[in-house]
Amino acid sequence: MPDRGGGPTGPRIRVGRPSRRVRTLLMTLGVLAVLGMAFTMFAGFWTDWLWYRSVNYSSVFTTTLWTKIGLFFVFGLLMALAVGFNIWLAHRLRPPLSAMSMEQQNLDRYRMGIAPYKKWLLLGITALVGLIAGASASGQWRTWLMWVNGVPFGEKDPQFNLDVSFYAFDLPWYRFLLGFGFAAAILSVIAAALTHYLYGGLRVTSPGARATAAATGHLSVLIGIFVALKAVAYWLDRYGLAVKSSDFRATDNWTGLRYVDANAYLPAKTILFCIAVICALLFFATIWRRTWQLPVIGFGLMVLSAILIGGLYPAIVQKFQVQPNEQAKEAPYVEKNLEATRQAYGIDGTKVTDYSGSSKTEDKTTLRDDVPDTASIRIMDPNIVSPTFQQLQQIRNYYAFPNNLDVDRYPKDGKDQDTVIGLRELNLAGIPKKNWINNHFRYTHGYGVVAAEGTSADSQGRPNFTESDLPSEGDLGTYEQRVYYGEKTTTYSIVGGPQKEIDYSDDNGEKTTSYKGDSGVDLSNPVNRAAYAVAFGEPQILYSGAIGEGSRILYNRTPKERVEAVAPWLTIDGDAYPAVVNGRIQWIVDAYTTTNGYPYSSRTTLGDTTADSLTATNDSRAVVAQQNQVNYIRNSVKATVDAYSGEVKLYQWDTKDPVLKTWMKAFPDTVEPKSDISKDLMDHLRYPQDLFKVQRELLTRYHVKDATTFLSGSEVWQVPDDPTNRSGSAVPPYYLSMKMPDQKAQAFSLTTTFTPNGRDNLSAFMAVDAEAGTGDYGKIRILKLPTNTTVNGPKQVQSQFNSQEDIAESIRLLRGGDSEVEYGNLLTVPLDGGLLYVEPVYVRGGGLKYPLLRKVLVTYGGQTAFENTLDEALNKVFGADGPTTEPPDEGDTTQPPPTSDNPTVQQALEDAQKAFDAGQEALKKNDWEAYGKAQKDLEDALQRAEDAQSEASRSGGAGGGESKPGGKPSSSPSGSPSPKPSS
């Protein structure tokens, strides 16, 4: 209530302005906050620039940045101008006097309220819509660069006779422009209508005309522009039919025109285009006619036509013309889809050959000698033996191997042999003491390559290492062994400064080193240090004494993320693999160019088609896809990442790919010519797995070439689930040196199998020549099994293995105690019309934690063997006698060879027999420590026997026990192998 006199009733409280000190403090805090946000934004930008400059790909950063900035400002400004101009125009066209009505009196208060701020309000609205539009447009930098740099494909679509580049490069940009135009038109109509309403140009409840002539003309033009854009959309939709996806019979991602598209939708779109043009002209005509009667009628007719002509008519054609005779109507369009899909995925050259699936040779013993010539059967599974590498070659806890190793080729005795290879990478989880200095300064790199023969194991089921120990030694010669960049190196390191790094450890203690490469970003500059301290959220980078002159920060260290960063327009294969090339460890990364705008080619989702049992258990094996759904793919780039220097090189692999040529125009001098690939590097390039998986998925349907068979679905295949585990995912493809029936010699190949849709028997075997640099590289061969007979598929073969009583009993014994049986890759090899299946079986358990090769399963022509070695299993299956490259199992009760007259040899063999018996007793008791001691005693005794016999042979004395080829003694006196402990 107001004070009505009487003087003050109490003390008066005066609320004054804050003191100068408080105002100064608040202003200072505000300025610091703004500066902090500004520096945070600057730090992100600056560190990105420094990184791209450090890898010599600064042009990628600048091209991408300026393209985004250009699109942001151009389209942001266009949107702001469009909306702002129409608000200004609507205000300018306002009537001089408003009708005296309650509606207008209410609006007067708003008009008076915003009158002093009209300019600021206009600027605010236009700035907001401009920012939103600019941010959206900047995300279209790929679309812009592909449109402005597009290269012709030299191939034309069968419907409109336009080059494929129109659909791949031009149409996406036109659609973006159209979408931007629609957004600008709609926002302009809304903004103009609100302005007209606020200033009396439009009335809702007031008596008299609902709109002034000026408002009518203004809004009619804007709506006419919208309708004109709709006409353009109808016209572009005609071409969009060639890349339109739909569900159709055998495929859920069918792309291209069908009968109803060509004979109903296409003419409907043309008619609707004409109607929309007429309707737009009617709206424009209201500038003179000042009435909306005709435009509204025209707009209603356009909507009705869209329903009847664009929706109902095609449905009638589909129902009454197509469905009664679908195969005849759709066959011409299916043939176009078949041809385009096979071309777009590079499977048009696939050679399909009939294969009987059963051998015609009656005497199977004659086939035993053909096996080594047909395939170098790999019994070391790279996806299982990583723990074995870890246990035997980790050396220090701060090293580790990837969960899945890789298969490559390296020369041995003048011939290439399949080799399982992995790098001893840095494992920060295993360092003795974790702190910031240890994590980022002391433990910075891995060390060395570890490699093993893929086709053999030693007497205890362990890999036969061809490169091992620390530092690594073996067949690979001299090379830079330090691994600063690898698949497990996911954190940053600061190297090259005053703080020494741990290089490796040996019997003499720790060796230290300091990084000598020029990789990474220099931290001697205080601005750089401050920027990285902010970017990484690590203030110690700013003031730590461990950083000084020469310090460099290494980050983005996994091979795939480095390649993806320098070439953001590529899709990266899920499996990068290491190779020793010209004295350096190089990571080799396969990369793809893709598009989803190839007319008539059916689409596929990369994340789905490249998934298998390996990606199900290891996310790092998944494809790095920028464009997940595609209908064209090429392995156009082979990239390398130096494990020491981090240097990234991109090589043009597919010299004909127009998509790659387009990106090379957009980013010149980033991709090196194919001719720059050295011979040493070429020897290690291979056909990529993810491309192969995409192609095999397409070939489950597109191996047929005639429309009738495709439409019937009778020849649809499927990729079988991996029978060796319970993931329920597809079997992965396997690398294997083998010879297909039409080949004269073995070739490094990537293989897979197919089964009929919904069944488990084998329908086909597929292999691609994976040997880069050869004339047949990339040639896909499919052996198609007859449909009138049943040939066992992988799941049935696995079930057959498990169901045989003697094999099941052996596996049960192997699982004794706490042991665990693991099945390796089930390899399939075509042989004399039949199919040879080979599967290594590993055991882990007891006191050991790593798998050892324990048995080999082999089946051919209905005969199955489960033996200790591959040779024994092959001999049993083919009923042949032959020398074994590995001794039999410890269960073999064969007596030891007769002793020699040489007393030294005799004593050594007696000691060996005692050690063998001791090992058997220890094995029964699961006493792994005693077992290990017995194995060492056994090896020493056999070595003494061999040395004594060699000495006797040189002096002409009597011979004793026999040794294995190459001077290696047999692993037990009885000729049986040392028992393999479960790990």
Side-chain angles (χ1 to χ4, degrees):
M1 295 293 294
D3 182 9
R4 297 187 181 275
T9 59
R12 302 187 64 167
I13 300 174
R14 181 178 180 181
V15 179
R17 298 173 61 190
S19 67
R20 179 176 297 177
R21 180 178 298 177
V22 173
R23 293 200 306 272
T24 303
L25 178 60
L26 291 175
M27 185 176 297
T28 302
L29 291 176
V31 171
L32 289 176
V34 172
L35 290 176
M37 289 188 292
F39 188 79
T40 300
M41 297 174 62
F42 167 77
F45 165 81
W46 185 243
T47 52
D48 285 347
W49 160 251
L50 291 174
W51 186 86
Y52 275 97
R53 191 175 64 175
S54 73
V55 293
N56 299 318
Y57 281 89
S58 56
S59 63
V60 174
F61 179 81
T62 54
T63 299
T64 305
L65 177 65
W66 286 117
T67 302
K68 290 180 178 179
I69 291 174
L71 292 172
F72 177 86
F73 279 106
V74 169
F75 286 94
L77 186 61
L78 286 175
M79 182 65 76
L81 288 175
V83 175
F85 172 77
N86 282 285
I87 292 175
W88 172 84
L89 183 60
H91 179 266
R92 184 177 179 84
L93 296 176
R94 69 189 183 280
L97 296 174
S98 299
M100 297 302 294
S101 64
M102 185 63 66
E103 179 184 18
Q104 291 303 312
Q105 290 178 15
N106 291 331
L107 290 174
D108 278 341
R109 291 197 294 269
Y110 294 104
R111 287 194 287 264
M112 293 172 63
I114 66 173
Y117 311 106
K118 286 192 295 187
K119 291 183 179 179
W120 291 109
L121 186 61
L122 178 62
L123 289 175
I125 293 173
T126 56
L128 179 62
V129 296
L131 286 172
I132 295 173
S136 175
S138 66
Q140 297 293 323
W141 63 271
R142 290 186 179 88
T143 307
W144 161 261
L145 288 176
M146 293 185 77
W147 177 68
V148 78
N149 295 288
V151 171
F153 274 66
E155 303 164 12
K156 295 185 177 181
D157 79 282
Q159 181 66 43
F160 301 103
N161 203 33
L162 295 174
D163 192 271
V164 173
S165 61
F166 171 80
Y167 301 93
F169 306 142
D170 299 343
L171 191 58
W173 178 249
Y174 297 153
R175 281 176 166 168
F176 164 71
L177 292 179
L178 187 62
F180 178 83
F182 275 126
I186 292 171
L187 289 175
S188 296
V189 168
I190 294 172
L194 288 175
T195 306
H196 280 299
Y197 175 70
L198 182 62
Y199 287 96
L202 291 178
R203 305 180 185 92
V204 177
T205 61
S206 300
R210 298 298 182 186
T212 64
T216 300
H218 183 195
L219 294 177
S220 295
V221 170
L222 291 178
I223 297 173
I225 292 174
F226 177 86
V227 176
L229 290 172
K230 187 61 180 174
V232 176
Y234 282 132
W235 189 257
L236 288 181
D237 284 347
R238 299 169 67 256
Y239 303 109
L241 292 173
V243 288
K244 177 179 69 75
S245 288
S246 60
D247 296 340
F248 176 57
R249 300 294 294 271
T251 175
D252 294 334
N253 289 301
W254 170 277
T255 302
L257 283 82
R258 292 155 50 192
Y259 180 88
V260 68
D261 296 313
N263 294 278
Y265 280 111
L266 186 58
K269 297 292 184 183
T270 305
I271 295 171
L272 289 172
F273 163 76
C274 297
I275 293 174
V277 170
I278 295 172
C279 187
L281 294 175
L282 290 176
F283 273 104
F284 294 145
T286 57
I287 298 176
W288 299 279
R289 292 180 58 84
R290 306 295 184 180
T291 176
W292 284 14
Q293 184 176 5
L294 286 178
V296 169
I297 293 174
F299 188 79
L301 289 175
M302 187 181 76
V303 173
L304 183 62
S305 300
I307 297 172
L308 296 178
I309 302 175
L312 185 60
Y313 174 63
I316 293 173
V317 171
Q318 178 69 25
K319 179 71 175 178
F320 295 102
Q321 291 191 33
V322 178
Q323 288 185 5
N325 191 17
E326 187 176 43
Q327 289 209 0
K329 296 291 187 182
E330 300 288 13
Y333 304 96
V334 170
E335 289 176 358
K336 296 174 184 177
N337 177 269
L338 287 171
E339 183 180 354
T341 302
R342 290 169 62 86
Q343 170 65 26
Y345 289 95
I347 56 177
D348 50 326
T350 300
K351 181 180 180 182
V352 181
T353 307
D354 290 334
Y355 194 72
S356 65
S358 59
S359 174
K360 303 302 181 184
T361 303
E362 295 183 3
D363 184 7
K364 297 295 189 292
T365 59
T366 61
L367 299 178
R368 174 63 182 86
D369 294 334
D370 294 338
V371 175
D373 292 333
T374 302
S376 298
I377 298 175
R378 179 173 44 75
I379 56 176
M380 280 289 112
D381 187 344
N383 305 309
I384 286 184
V385 299
S386 178
T388 308
F389 274 51
Q390 184 82 359
Q391 182 68 27
L392 302 178
Q393 288 297 319
Q394 180 188 22
I395 312 297
R396 295 289 183 268
N397 287 338
Y398 48 82
Y399 294 131
F401 293 91
N403 294 332
N404 303 100
L405 303 177
D406 289 289
V407 178
D408 202 348
R409 296 91 65 215
Y410 285 90
K412 181 77 171 180
D413 300 328
K415 294 179 61 179
D416 283 349
Q417 70 169 9
D418 292 357
T419 301
V420 178
I421 186 172
L423 298 191
R424 192 184 287 111
E425 295 189 42
L426 178 66
N427 174 32
L428 287 178
I431 64 177
K433 183 179 180 181
K434 289 188 175 182
N435 54 54
W436 189 64
I437 294 295
N438 280 346
N439 291 354
H440 301 290
F441 291 81
R442 296 271 291 162
Y443 295 91
T444 59
H445 59 277
Y447 209 98
V449 173
V450 176
E453 295 179 3
T455 56
S456 68
D458 71 6
S459 60
Q460 297 185 43
R462 300 175 302 189
N464 277 324
F465 291 108
T466 58
E467 184 81 8
S468 59
D469 299 332
L470 183 69
S472 295
E473 296 179 346
D475 296 345
L476 301 185
T478 303
Y479 58 95
E480 174 56 67
Q481 298 200 15
R482 297 173 183 87
V483 181
Y484 282 89
Y485 295 87
E487 290 180 304
K488 302 181 76 68
T489 315
T490 56
T491 189
Y492 71 90
S493 289
I494 299 176
V495 298
Q499 179 66 58
K500 290 292 185 180
E501 311 162 43
I502 292 177
D503 204 19
Y504 64 91
S505 301
D506 59 16
D507 294 337
N508 299 320
E510 289 182 350
K511 308 291 184 183
T512 60
T513 188
S514 186
Y515 185 67
K516 299 297 191 300
D518 58 359
S519 182
V521 178
D522 184 15
L523 289 181
S524 59
N525 185 325
V527 175
N528 291 357
R529 292 177 66 171
Y532 279 101
V534 171
F536 287 1
E538 184 51 71
Q540 294 185 78
I541 294 177
L542 184 59
Y543 55 78
S544 174
I547 301 176
E549 191 65 30
S551 292
R552 309 182 72 83
I553 185 167
L554 313 180
Y555 62 105
N556 285 354
R557 298 170 70 184
T558 66
K560 289 195 292 186
E561 72 178 344
R562 289 181 78 79
V563 174
E564 184 188 19
V566 303
W569 32 274
L570 291 173
T571 297
I572 311 301
D573 189 270
D575 183 27
Y577 61 98
V580 177
V581 179
N582 297 321
R584 310 282 288 197
I585 300 174
Q586 298 282 355
W587 288 99
I588 300 175
V589 183
D590 285 287
Y592 311 108
T593 47
T594 61
T595 180
N596 65 355
Y598 197 100
Y600 275 98
S601 172
S602 290
R603 288 183 171 86
T604 186
T605 303
L606 291 180
D608 295 336
T609 53
T610 59
D612 58 25
S613 61
L614 296 183
T615 60
T617 57
N618 186 358
D619 290 340
S620 64
R621 294 295 290 265
V623 63
V624 182
Q626 291 292 339
Q627 190 178 30
N628 200 34
Q629 195 172 62
V630 305
N631 67 353
Y632 171 94
I633 186 170
R634 289 290 186 271
N635 176 213
S636 52
V637 171
K638 300 283 188 181
T640 61
V641 177
D642 192 291
Y644 181 79
S645 69
E647 180 185 22
V648 181
K649 288 188 176 181
L650 307 176
Y651 295 99
Q652 182 183 15
W653 184 247
D654 189 332
T655 57
K656 298 179 180 179
D657 177 30
V659 181
L660 177 61
K661 291 179 180 179
T662 295
W663 287 119
M664 289 174 67
K665 281 182 63 180
F667 296 96
D669 303 323
T670 56
V671 181
E672 300 184 24
K674 186 175 184 178
S675 58
D676 285 0
I677 299 177
S678 67
K679 171 64 168 61
D680 200 4
L681 175 59
M682 184 70 75
D683 289 342
H684 295 282
L685 300 182
R686 68 188 191 188
Y687 201 81
Q689 292 187 58
D690 284 333
L691 175 61
F692 183 78
K693 287 188 282 188
V694 170
Q695 290 174 326
R696 75 172 178 178
E697 179 65 30
L698 268 296
L699 283 167
T700 59
R701 303 182 303 275
Y702 287 91
H703 62 277
V704 300
K705 296 183 179 180
D706 63 287
T708 302
T709 306
F710 184 88
L711 286 167
S712 70
S714 60
E715 289 289 330
V716 175
W717 299 337
Q718 66 182 13
V719 179
D721 291 341
D722 191 345
T724 65
N725 61 49
R726 298 178 181 178
S727 68
S729 301
V731 62
Y734 297 124
Y735 286 106
L736 182 68
S737 290
M738 58 165 292
K739 180 174 65 174
M740 290 288 275
D742 65 332
Q743 292 179 293
K744 296 181 180 179
Q746 290 185 23
F748 191 62
S749 304
L750 193 52
T751 66
T752 192
T753 53
F754 294 110
T755 58
N757 193 25
R759 298 174 59 192
D760 294 325
N761 57 290
L762 195 69
S763 56
F765 174 82
M766 171 180 168
V768 63
D769 193 321
E771 193 83 39
T774 62
D776 278 351
Y777 172 81
K779 184 174 183 178
I780 299 174
R781 297 176 172 88
I782 292 180
L783 302 180
K784 184 175 178 294
L785 280 300
T787 56
N788 57 353
T789 60
T790 300
V791 178
N792 286 339
K795 186 175 181 180
Q796 293 172 321
V797 170
Q798 189 70 51
S799 298
Q800 180 180 326
F801 284 155
N802 297 336
S803 61
Q804 289 199 14
E805 187 175 343
D806 55 339
I807 295 178
E809 177 62 20
S810 298
I811 291 176
R812 189 186 67 78
L813 292 174
L814 290 175
R815 287 195 174 113
D818 60 352
S819 298
E820 180 181 338
V821 171
E822 295 186 27
Y823 295 100
N825 37 221
L826 179 57
L827 302 176
T828 308
V829 177
L831 177 66
D832 190 50
L835 292 162
L836 174 69
Y837 286 97
V838 180
E839 182 178 61
V841 178
Y842 299 81
V843 177
R844 72 160 85 198
L848 299 176
K849 301 300 180 186
Y850 57 94
L852 297 174
L853 180 65
R854 202 63 188 79
K855 294 278 188 177
V856 180
L857 284 161
V858 174
T859 185
Y860 182 81
Q863 298 296 317
T864 301
F866 185 59
E867 301 299 323
N868 305 309
T869 69
L870 176 61
D871 281 335
E872 288 179 348
L874 290 172
N875 290 341
K876 183 174 181 179
V877 162
F878 291 104
D881 295 326
T884 60
T885 58
E886 298 179 51
D889 185 78
E890 72 277 5
D892 190 346
T893 56
T894 306
Q895 296 299 313
T899 59
S900 133
D901 294 333
N902 186 319
T904 304
V905 174
Q906 183 175 355
Q907 182 60 50
L909 291 176
E910 289 176 0
D911 293 343
Q913 184 65 59
K914 291 178 182 178
F916 176 75
D917 293 339
Q920 296 298 293
E921 288 299 319
L923 188 63
K924 292 177 182 177
K925 298 176 182 178
N926 282 337
D927 187 347
W928 300 109
E929 183 177 354
Y931 174 75
K933 182 178 182 303
Q935 292 303 298
K936 187 176 186 307
D937 293 341
L938 174 62
E939 187 175 351
D940 292 343
L942 290 173
Q943 187 63 50
R944 283 190 281 114
E946 183 183 23
D947 294 344
Q949 178 157 338
S950 298
E951 180 63 29
S953 298
R954 287 195 295 272
S955 60
E962 297 180 358
S963 66
K964 291 173 64 178
K968 298 289 184 183
S970 64
S971 49
S972 75
S974 63
S976 61
S978 309
K980 305 175 186 65
S982 312
S983 70

